[in-house]
Amino acid sequence: MNYTVYIPQDIEEEGKNYLLERGHKIKLGSGLAEEVLMEEINDCDAVLTRSNAMINRKVIQAGKKLKIIAKYGVGLDNIDIEEATQQGIYVTNTPQANANAVAEHVLALMFYLSKNLRLVDRELRTGNFAIRNQLYSMDLGGKTLGIIGLGRIGRLLADKARQGLGMKVVGYDPYVDATSNLSLEIVTDVEWLFKNADVISLHLPLTETTKGIIGKREFLWMKSSAYLINASRGGVVKEDDLIQVLREGRIAGAGIDVFEMEPPDKRNPLFELDNVIVTPHNAALTKEASICMAMDAAVQIDQVLSGRKPDWSVNEPLIKKVFL
């Protein structure tokens, strides 16, 4: 039987071709407004979604034939997993596809900040060659990297920073036991991590528990010479608090790939600060990772539509849908 896969935002050809070669039909979306999603998902058996399409309760209920919602990526904050579970729909993600891309992006932000690249590039372009003697950068070797959230990305970042840069790496994750066999030191006191790390990198999912979990208190724990990097979800940080401490010079700077509101307003104060580097939530979007995310999501869909359990399900549907 031919099944229809709804793709609200286009993906790489490799993922679409995988589905087509296995006899599935593809329905590309025409917009991301709730009413558009509800109308277009109505006759579809699966949805392959990126981050900007909000697959909420209303959209899920409109998809009366849905058997799987496959996320192109790792974060699941745009999918109502509870509603999907109640409706007998699998939810999957692609946990192995983009970890390297995000870890490399974090390293790039670390280099950009620690070497003052924004300022020295701007000054040199104005003819100020003397900036080389006016502004010191910072070695990363020997410094302490604090990682909050020790999933695949956090662990891979730890390996790269320790092995490649000679950094001391400490990590905090309430779901990781301190005796775990990881190549970094696990700390149980998050305040200690904030107070002692030279660079802090956030790798937290956005949930009701983590929303706004990093704010002024945590920033004031940090060294004035320390940097914050967020390539997880914007909502885990209280953005106004971050802007305040950056303006006051209470921390040295920040590398921000994600925002509380996306896309961010072009007047966002973060864009005006010289001690900030911003990127448009594209840490995971290398060509290689994008192909992997498209393929991995497509594989999950084909597994479910073929009557199999998906490899990377994040839920267990309460009912099993009959495939007709």
Side-chain angles (χ1 to χ4, degrees):
M1 179 176 178
N2 292 328
Y3 292 106
T4 301
V5 180
Y6 177 41
I7 305 179
Q9 292 172 276
D10 205 1
I11 63 169
E12 285 67 31
E13 293 298 320
E14 288 84 350
K16 291 183 291 186
N17 289 339
Y18 182 91
L19 293 167
L20 292 171
E21 289 166 1
R22 282 150 183 81
H24 307 302
K25 296 185 291 185
I26 288 176
K27 181 179 184 178
L28 289 178
S30 62
L32 299 178
E34 181 180 77
E35 59 271 19
V36 174
L37 295 172
M38 291 175 64
E39 179 180 353
E40 294 183 342
I41 206 171
N42 180 262
D43 61 345
C44 296
D45 302 280
V47 57
L48 196 165
T49 181
R50 300 176 71 157
S51 295
N52 290 340
M54 299 303 297
I55 311 300
N56 59 25
R57 180 179 61 85
K58 289 183 179 179
V59 174
I60 291 172
Q61 290 179 352
K64 300 186 183 303
K65 298 173 61 179
L66 278 184
K67 301 165 184 68
I68 176 174
I69 301 167
K71 177 65 183 288
Y72 171 110
V74 178
L76 296 159
D77 45 288
N78 64 313
I79 300 171
D80 190 330
I81 299 174
E82 182 178 352
E83 181 64 27
T85 302
Q86 294 291 331
Q87 297 293 333
I89 301 166
Y90 277 109
V91 178
T92 64
N93 63 357
T94 59
Q96 298 181 0
N98 61 15
N100 185 71
V102 177
E104 287 188 359
H105 194 92
V106 170
L107 291 175
L109 296 177
M110 288 168 53
F111 279 117
Y112 194 98
L113 291 165
S114 64
K115 306 306 178 186
N116 295 310
L117 295 183
R118 175 175 181 173
L119 288 172
V120 296
D121 176 83
R122 186 183 67 192
E123 289 299 309
L124 181 57
R125 289 172 186 269
T126 67
N128 183 15
F129 187 73
I131 189 67
R132 65 190 296 268
N133 296 316
Q134 299 168 353
L135 187 65
Y136 285 111
S137 58
M138 181 181 83
D139 281 352
L140 290 172
K143 298 299 191 299
T144 297
L145 169 63
I147 301 175
I148 300 180
L150 297 173
R152 285 180 176 83
I153 296 171
R155 297 181 190 195
L156 185 57
L157 173 63
D159 290 341
K160 291 178 182 293
R162 182 178 57 84
Q163 298 173 12
L165 299 176
M167 298 185 77
K168 176 183 178 182
V169 183
V170 297
Y172 172 83
D173 190 318
Y175 301 104
V176 174
D177 191 277
T179 61
S180 298
N181 186 25
L182 299 179
S183 58
L184 71 158
E185 178 185 348
I186 308 296
V187 299
T188 57
D189 185 352
V190 71
E191 181 177 349
W192 183 94
L193 185 149
F194 271 95
K195 288 182 175 180
N196 288 276
D198 299 292
V199 181
I200 295 171
S201 189
L202 306 179
H203 298 281
L204 303 168
L206 180 59
T207 66
E208 289 300 318
T209 302
T210 63
K211 186 175 182 180
I213 197 171
I214 309 297
K216 188 172 183 179
R217 180 186 65 168
E218 289 74 23
F219 299 138
L220 294 181
W221 284 339
M222 293 172 64
K223 301 177 183 179
S224 61
S225 59
Y227 298 102
L228 178 85
I229 295 177
N230 187 10
S232 57
R233 285 295 186 267
V236 304
V237 170
K238 294 178 181 176
E239 205 166 274
D240 288 343
D241 289 355
L242 176 61
I243 290 166
Q244 181 181 348
V245 296
L246 287 166
R247 280 176 168 166
E248 296 173 354
R250 301 296 296 267
I251 65 174
I256 303 298
D257 182 56
V258 289
F259 303 85
E260 279 188 325
M261 179 183 72
E262 293 189 356
D265 191 294
K266 65 181 180 180
R267 295 166 296 181
N268 189 311
L270 288 170
F271 299 166
E272 303 169 2
L273 300 173
D274 284 337
N275 56 348
V276 175
I277 171 67
V278 292
T279 53
H281 199 160
N282 70 328
L285 299 181
T286 63
K287 182 62 176 176
E288 295 83 357
S290 297
I291 292 173
C292 284
M293 287 187 287
M295 282 294 297
D296 287 358
V299 168
Q300 304 306 293
I301 288 173
D302 182 61
Q303 286 176 339
V304 170
L305 297 184
S306 300
R308 293 172 285 162
K309 185 173 181 177
D311 292 330
W312 296 311
S313 175
V314 300
N315 71 335
E316 185 62 39
L318 295 182
I319 57 176
K320 301 296 183 182
K321 292 198 170 181
V322 177
F323 285 45
L324 299 174

